[in-house]
Amino acid sequence: MNDKVYTRPIGVLESIQVPVESQSKPRKRGGSPKTYRSILYFLISLPITIVYFVFMVTGLALSIGLTPIFIGIPLFFAVAKGLDYIVKFEQELVRSLLDIPRSTEEHRSDRQMEVAGFLQRIKLGFHGADFARNIMLIMGRFVSSIVFFSLTVAMVATALSLITLPVLHQIFLQTMDLNILENSVFALFNIQWTLPQQYISYLVVGLVVAVIASWAIRLLMDVQRRMLLVPYEEVQQY
């Protein structure tokens, strides 16, 4: 058995450099899971915001109309509380989609609301400025859901149609003897390209449109975050 003790030369530890992890911001990538979640969010947001808008208009109209028989006042506070829950739900949904942590002030206010009773919750939860803000946010959410839904469907449908156009052309050509590329852009400008070259061009354009659509959807999601007054102080990968 070798009993020799080997010593490390002085200065070796100082010369060894441990690589330090880069603290730079991660590069944004298209087609991330958040992009897919944003697409799903914009697609289902339209029917949900219609429900929000109908609830707000119907509740406020009933509360104003039933005020003379004293039912409208508690109904008004209930509708105001419901609007507050709707706005908080939308804000939490955006936070979960963008992985934004909640601030400590919001946790503290939620604890105060949990400890308080029913009447105290109504008193603590109703503020005239917040009520007006919630109405404006829901109305803006209703309008933005229509616009963002239309843009999302248009961009996704355009990208998918261009990418799948070669396959669809072959399917229609083989099954129904229908040439969907007969009056294409190449025929319009009299560009003499072969069919495989046209397929490749459509595929490349479709991929470019998909990348642009991914960037645009992330931009729309950031606009939605700003419209819902969700702070985004920390640097997040998106």
Side-chain angles (χ1 to χ4, degrees), residues 108-125:
R108 191 180 300 112
S109 62
D110 290 343
R111 293 194 193 98
Q112 292 177 356
M113 294 295 295
E114 291 176 359
V115 174
F118 178 74
L119 296 178
Q120 292 179 350
R121 286 184 182 181
I122 295 179
K123 183 178 179 181
L124 291 174

Side-chain angles (χ1 to χ4, degrees), residues 3-120:
D3 296 333
K4 292 182 179 180
V5 178
Y6 296 94
T7 59
R8 188 186 301 273
I10 299 175
V12 173
L13 291 177
E14 290 78 8
S15 62
I16 299 176
Q17 296 181 356
V18 180
V20 181
E21 295 182 358
S22 176
Q23 300 296 329
S24 60
K25 183 180 178 180
R27 182 177 297 178
K28 299 178 182 179
R29 298 182 180 179
S32 62
K34 293 180 183 178
T35 304
Y36 303 140
R37 285 184 289 177
S38 299
I39 293 174
L40 182 61
Y41 172 77
F42 288 135
L43 291 179
I44 66 176
S45 62
L46 181 59
I48 294 177
T49 50
I50 291 176
V51 176
Y52 294 162
F53 186 77
V54 171
F55 170 78
M56 180 183 68
V57 174
T58 306
L60 292 178
L62 286 176
S63 61
I64 294 174
L66 296 176
T67 301
I69 57 176
F70 303 104
I71 301 178
I73 296 177
L75 181 61
F76 172 79
F77 284 108
V79 172
K81 193 64 178 178
L83 297 180
D84 188 59
Y85 281 136
I86 289 174
V87 172
K88 288 182 178 179
F89 170 75
E90 286 291 327
Q91 290 175 343
E92 287 296 326
L93 186 59
V94 171
R95 285 192 184 95
S96 63
L97 289 174
L98 300 180
D99 296 332
I100 302 176
R102 297 184 64 186
S103 61
T104 56
E105 295 180 357
E106 293 177 349
H107 285 291
R108 191 180 300 112
S109 62
D110 290 343
R111 293 194 193 98
Q112 292 177 356
M113 294 295 295
E114 291 176 359
V115 174
F118 178 74
L119 296 178
Q120 292 179 350

Side-chain angles (χ1 to χ4, degrees), residues 200-214:
I200 294 174
S201 63
Y202 284 122
L203 182 60
V204 171
V205 173
L207 293 176
V208 172
V209 172
V211 173
I212 297 175
S214 177

Side-chain angles (χ1 to χ4, degrees), residues 56 80 83-84 87 129-139:
M56 180 183 68
L83 297 180
D84 188 59
V87 172
D130 293 340
F131 175 70
R133 183 207 63 178
N134 292 337
I135 291 179
M136 297 302 296
L137 288 179
I138 292 177
M139 292 180 63

Side-chain angles (χ1 to χ4, degrees), residues 150-185:
S150 303
L151 292 176
T152 302
V153 170
M155 290 185 292
V156 173
T158 302
L160 290 178
S161 61
L162 289 172
I163 293 174
T164 59
L165 184 59
V167 178
L168 295 176
H169 178 256
Q170 287 297 324
I171 292 175
F172 284 112
L173 195 62
Q174 297 295 331
T175 57
M176 294 183 291
D177 196 17
L178 177 63
N179 186 8
I180 60 177
L181 297 180
E182 183 178 1
N183 297 321
S184 63
V185 178

Side-chain angles (χ1 to χ4, degrees), residues 205-230:
V205 173
L207 293 176
V208 172
V209 172
V211 173
I212 297 175
S214 177
W215 171 81
I217 288 171
R218 292 199 301 268
L219 182 62
L220 292 178
M221 195 66 197
D222 187 69
V223 173
Q224 186 67 72
R225 174 191 64 81
R226 295 175 185 271
M227 292 181 62
L228 290 174
L229 305 178
V230 177

